[in-house]
Amino acid sequence: MKILIVGNGGREHALAWKASQSKLSDIIYVAPGNPGTSLESRVCNIDINITEIDKLAEFAYKEKIDLTIVGPEKPITMGIVDKFHMMGLNIFAPNKSAAQIESSKIFCKNFLCRHNIPTPNYEYFSEIKPALSYIDGIKLPIVIKADGLAAGKGVVIAKSKQKAEYIIKNMLSGNLFGNAGKRIIIEEFCYGEELSFIVMVDRKKNILPMDTSQDYKRIGNNNTGLNTGGMGSRSPALLIRNEEIYQNIMDQIIYPTVSGMDAEGNQYIGFLYAGLIINKLGKPMVIEFNCRLGDPETQSLMMRLKSDLVDICIAGCKGELSKKNIQWHSKYALSLVLSSGGYPNSNYYNNYEIYGLPKQDYPNSKIFHSGTCLNKNNKLITNGGRVLSISTIDRDFKIAKKRLYEIAKSIYWEHIYFRTDIGF
């Protein structure tokens, strides 16, 4: 089979790496890919940007691609699935209409309320004055969210009224997050533990849950500082070992979401990522939905996945997920993101040569490329906010964590930054 993976980050590198291990795959194309994907066996980078939907479809049609997996949300929300389906191509992702569950937080929250799916209380605004009046009568802290896509950074927790007013004014004026913040949600802050719960859904509404993971979202240790695209992950999440919590998530959130989307004419097919918070009573609530796999959760999940990724995605396209079970290694996986200094702000340091990358992977570990490229001298340099992610796996959590940081400390570039508490 010929496989196409759309994207150029660590998530897509992990997907390409796992797809290359499939007995069904002959060649894996990654568009556009990165220097890391180009080193994988049977993987070939294709110079097509993720937003060039027509070119991607033309390539897939010409090359007779058997399966396309889309990594980032941007091409999904632009309608890549609709285009591929028009051309009779297999692609495992939701169409543009269903992808509104991520592309508009207001759409998502209104949908959750219509179907009585637990989520924090909220209001949404497009004008500054009503939003400022609203916060006069509610308890702090509050969560302020940009309605549109903001690369995982469009969420701010305001602990003071002064900060809340500043964020509201700057989001709605377009100074923060551009058009993505021209409408906002103001949401109650809920205390608890965050959890990434990802399932696969096919056209017959069959649901196949993946194992659990947790994302370390904030830039600083102890989950402090600004929101990022993710600074690390772990799988499985220890919290979900409680069977009652697992069943509550399926019964109260996943099943009604899939059936509700279908009932409203937005049939959902693909990976569905529920960003949840579990409160002290064990009650799950939806913080957000994503219409794709998470990054860096995917890196940890692919380390633990025993099943054939290509096989289960093909089953998803055919409506045959009910015939599949996903098998996982009974080990701990950890992933650590190495970033450029200054990230997640837009003025992070860039174009620095990367030193110390091992010529081959350590045992039970893998380095995935995210924001890297080759300069004119063929040297590997930084080319993004999140540059590399290191993943380790072991039956002993402490060994996995120790190996993770041993590898991290062997890699260097000017202004390198990473959290030192991933796994806690």
Side-chain angles (χ1 to χ4, degrees):
M1 282 187 176
K2 292 182 177 181
I3 313 301
L4 172 62
I5 293 171
V6 178
N8 65 339
R11 165 182 48 212
E12 292 75 42
H13 188 176
L15 290 170
W17 170 73
K18 182 55 70 173
S20 71
Q21 299 168 23
S22 169
K23 295 179 180 179
L24 299 174
S25 63
D26 297 305
I27 184 167
I28 296 94
Y29 297 103
V30 189
N34 60 44
T37 56
S38 69
L39 299 175
E40 300 296 341
S41 173
R42 293 185 291 141
V43 176
C44 178
N45 288 349
I46 302 299
D47 188 19
I48 305 176
N49 191 275
I50 63 170
T51 60
E52 295 178 302
I53 305 301
D54 289 342
K55 286 185 178 180
L56 289 166
E58 289 167 9
F59 173 82
Y61 187 81
K62 180 181 177 182
E63 291 295 327
K64 297 180 180 178
I65 297 296
D66 297 288
L67 168 69
T68 297
I69 304 172
V70 188
E73 64 277 10
K74 186 72 172 178
I76 298 174
T77 60
M78 290 177 64
I80 187 173
V81 171
D82 308 73
K83 181 70 175 182
F84 272 51
H85 283 171
M86 283 175 57
M87 300 177 72
L89 295 165
N90 276 333
I91 182 168
F92 191 63
N95 62 23
K96 185 176 181 178
S97 180
Q100 290 179 91
I101 203 163
E102 175 171 5
S103 64
S104 170
K105 288 185 173 61
I106 293 173
F107 172 92
C108 178
K109 294 288 283 190
N110 289 343
F111 168 83
L112 293 170
C113 286
R114 285 196 301 273
H115 293 274
N116 297 311
I117 298 168
T119 189
N121 295 324
Y122 73 102
E123 290 290 344
Y124 62 91
F125 301 90
S126 57
E127 297 180 2
I128 294 174
K129 188 174 179 180
L132 294 178
S133 298
Y134 176 71
I135 65 171
D136 283 336
I138 59 174
K139 183 180 177 181
L140 295 171
I142 56 173
V143 184
I144 306 169
K145 299 180 177 181
D147 174 55
L149 299 176
K153 307 180 194 73
V155 178
V156 179
I157 297 173
K159 296 182 179 180
S160 68
K161 186 177 178 182
Q162 183 180 15
K163 182 175 181 179
E165 291 175 345
Y166 172 83
I167 296 298
I168 289 168
K169 290 176 182 177
N170 278 275
M171 272 200 194
L172 288 175
S173 65
N175 292 333
L176 285 176
F177 315 122
N179 288 332
K182 286 296 183 72
R183 296 196 303 170
I184 64 170
I185 281 177
I186 300 177
E187 186 179 84
E188 70 169 321
F189 179 84
C190 293
Y191 293 90
E193 187 168 353
E194 291 191 28
L195 175 72
S196 301
F197 197 91
I198 303 170
V199 301
M200 301 174 71
V201 187
D202 69 20
R203 57 186 171 82
K204 295 181 181 179
K205 294 189 287 184
N206 295 313
I207 299 171
L208 189 61
M210 304 188 79
D211 212 336
T212 58
S213 56
Q214 283 180 302
D215 179 18
Y216 294 78
K217 204 73 175 171
R218 296 188 173 276
I219 189 66
N221 287 348
N222 301 314
N223 290 321
T224 57
L226 295 174
N227 256 13
T228 73
M231 295 304 295
S233 65
R234 67 175 289 166
S235 179
L238 298 183
L239 182 69
I240 205 63
R241 289 183 176 180
N242 183 313
E243 286 295 325
E244 184 179 353
I245 294 176
Y246 175 90
Q247 202 56 51
N248 284 342
I249 292 171
M250 292 300 295
D251 293 341
Q252 298 173 20
I253 294 170
I254 301 300
Y255 292 136
T257 295
V258 172
S259 61
M261 289 288 282
D262 187 67
E264 294 187 2
N266 293 314
Q267 183 185 42
Y268 196 96
I269 300 170
F271 293 104
L272 177 64
Y273 168 143
L276 308 176
I277 191 160
I278 314 297
N279 67 18
K280 293 180 180 179
L281 300 176
K283 179 184 178 181
M285 303 181 78
V286 178
I287 300 174
E288 64 177 0
F289 272 117
N290 294 320
C291 60
R292 37 71 190 183
L293 286 163
D295 184 343
E297 293 98 327
T298 300
Q299 289 89 308
S300 292
L301 288 168
M302 292 303 105
M303 292 292 285
R304 294 188 55 233
L305 181 63
K306 290 176 68 176
S307 297
D308 187 316
L309 175 66
V310 173
D311 181 49
I312 55 177
C313 288
I314 287 289
C317 291
K318 292 181 176 180
E320 297 178 352
L321 285 179
S322 61
K323 300 177 182 179
K324 300 294 179 180
N325 291 310
I326 303 184
Q327 293 184 322
W328 303 90
H329 290 288
S330 57
K331 298 178 181 179
Y332 297 99
L334 289 173
S335 296
L336 170 69
V337 169
L338 310 184
S339 67
S340 297
Y343 176 78
N345 293 316
S346 57
N347 58 340
Y348 52 77
Y349 298 99
N350 222 338
N351 301 314
Y352 288 100
E353 186 172 349
I354 299 169
Y355 300 96
L357 273 181
K359 293 183 178 179
Q360 59 184 31
D361 289 316
Y362 291 85
N364 299 315
S365 69
K366 181 71 182 175
I367 296 176
F368 298 109
H369 289 234
S370 298
T372 66
C373 69
L374 298 174
N375 65 13
K376 61 182 180 180
N377 298 318
N378 211 36
K379 299 290 187 181
L380 189 70
I381 62 172
T382 62
N383 187 43
R386 295 188 295 171
V387 179
L388 298 168
S389 55
I390 304 166
S391 297
T392 58
I393 185 169
D394 203 282
R395 293 188 184 280
D396 188 319
F397 179 81
K398 291 181 180 178
I399 292 175
K401 185 176 175 66
K402 181 181 178 183
R403 187 184 302 118
L404 189 77
Y405 281 100
E406 284 176 351
I407 299 171
K409 290 173 183 176
S410 72
I411 300 170
Y412 173 77
W413 62 84
E414 197 168 342
H415 303 294
I416 187 173
Y417 172 80
F418 54 86
R419 282 179 57 166
T420 59
D421 66 341
I422 300 303
F424 287 110

